[in-house]
Amino acid sequence: MGEKPKSNIDEIFDRYLDAETKIFRNRDVLSPHYVPDILPHRDNKFEELAKILAPALRGGAPSNIFIYGTTGTGKTAVTKQVLAKLKERAESRDLAFKYSYMNCQHVDTKYRVLTQLCEDIGIDVPFTGLHFDVIYQKFKEALDELDTMHVTVLDEVDMLYRKSSESLYVLTRMNSDLENSKISIIGITNDVNFKETLDPRIRSSLSEEEIVFSPYTAEQLNDILAQRAEVAFHKNILEFGVINLCSAVGAQQHGDARRSLDLLRVASELAERNGDENVTELHVRKAQQVIERNTVVEVLTSLPIQTKAVLQAIFMGEGKSEEITTGDVYKIYSKICKLVRLDILTTRRVGDLINELDMLGIITAQVISKGRGGRSKRIHLTVPHKQVREVIESDFRLSKIFEMKEI
Ligand SMILES: Nc1ncnc2c1ncn2[C@@H]1O[C@H](COP(=O)(O)OP(=O)(O)OP(=O)(O)O)[C@@H](O)[C@H]1O
Ligand SMILES: [Mg+2]
């Protein structure tokens, strides 16, 4: 009996496995979760942070630190590494040192922050039910008992401040409540205007020290990519110019290492999936389209339902006539709301939502008249219609509209 014929699926998997050996030597180093031990071009930030935190090794309380810089400039990576090193050092010298790292996109209420802090020093708190003051007291007492130096990292701290400025105030004042232990706060943000919006009392205590992460230049991004590429790929897989192109794009996007690394990863995955033997500039260009598309879909998907309804109204309006105005959008929007049983917001609120969509770059809204009915604007979708449709179709309430005839 001969060999069983291979199914298409087998062939796909075979091709994938062959390609893996052809292109990637170690694809993990390109994963968004991988952080190399050495971060090129960040020695000086490493040093700045280490110098401020060093007093912890002698039992002193380091100053609170405010770190800012645009996205993808290594703030999170550097901070985590310095703290891990500091902890290692403290342990080898039998010094009491603890730290908590939290991302305030998820840990965004004073309750969550305190619960996380408690968990990190090993005390259990019930998920809900306790009053904030009670948890605060619990944490304070437990920390004091440990007689330790504690560093709390609040990454994306602007998210926490927006929802609960009080927790930031409480944390930055905590030392005056502690008797044996000491706590330092590191707040990180990529929102360049955040500092101005801070309550002056919090600003002065949070930013006792400041570290600014400047955008990477194209040359620096080149080195960062070259370091990864050397481990990730077999020899001579990358066509000349691929790394340069990925770094140039990252440099244009506010010196963003994440964007450059994403491009290199997606480009090489595209090459692999295609069964190609090299990664070329063409793959990078295609990867750029894929990434941009994904960002648009991500932004649209995360819009609140009312904003999505407005977006749907714009989408449907554009399908019907060449030029649509705020008035047209409102009419369609009201119909949509009736049909899917959403509250109908006032024209003013819908105007605000239209402005928000404009600010996000999803539409353009140009003032055309200031008649009796207030300002009217001409509206255009600036993102591909296909993606808008795709996102609305994945919303179980709004998707129904596409099946209805009466609109
Ligand atoms: N100097 C560097 N060397 C190598 N990789 C780096 C370097 N800087 C950043 N990276 C990588 O780039 C990505 C983004 O870095 P990181 O998450 O630290 O940025 P960030 O400044 O915290 O951005 P955000 O403000 O969006 O949170 C990570 O995958 C990180 O490993
Ligand atoms: Mg970060």
Side-chain angles (χ1 to χ4, degrees), residues 75-76 155-156 258:
K75 301 179 296 297
T76 301
D155 204 347
E156 322 238 354
R258 187 181 297 116

Side-chain angles (χ1 to χ4, degrees), residues 116-135:
Q116 170 90 45
L117 283 172
C118 284
E119 274 172 13
D120 289 350
I121 61 165
I123 28 177
D124 268 345
V125 273
F127 192 59
T128 52
L130 283 186
H131 194 272
F132 176 73
D133 295 344
V134 178
I135 311 180

Side-chain angles (χ1 to χ4, degrees), residues 121-186:
I121 61 165
I123 28 177
D124 268 345
V125 273
F127 192 59
T128 52
L130 283 186
H131 194 272
F132 176 73
D133 295 344
V134 178
I135 311 180
Y136 178 82
Q137 202 59 29
K138 254 181 174 252
F139 175 66
K140 193 191 76 88
E141 278 165 19
L143 193 65
D144 251 344
E145 214 158 278
L146 289 171
D147 198 354
T148 187
M149 177 61 233
H150 189 285
V151 176
T152 301
V153 183
L154 302 170
D155 204 347
E156 322 238 354
V157 62
D158 45 307
M159 300 284 182
L160 176 66
Y161 183 70
R162 234 176 270 161
K163 284 207 179 163
S164 158
S165 57
E166 191 197 341
S167 40
L168 213 51
Y169 184 74
V170 170
L171 285 172
T172 50
R173 299 286 137 134
M174 199 162 173
N175 276 331
S176 53
D177 269 356
L178 288 164
E179 282 160 28
N180 309 320
S181 294
K182 294 191 183 91
I183 192 164
S184 296
I185 311 293
I186 300 181

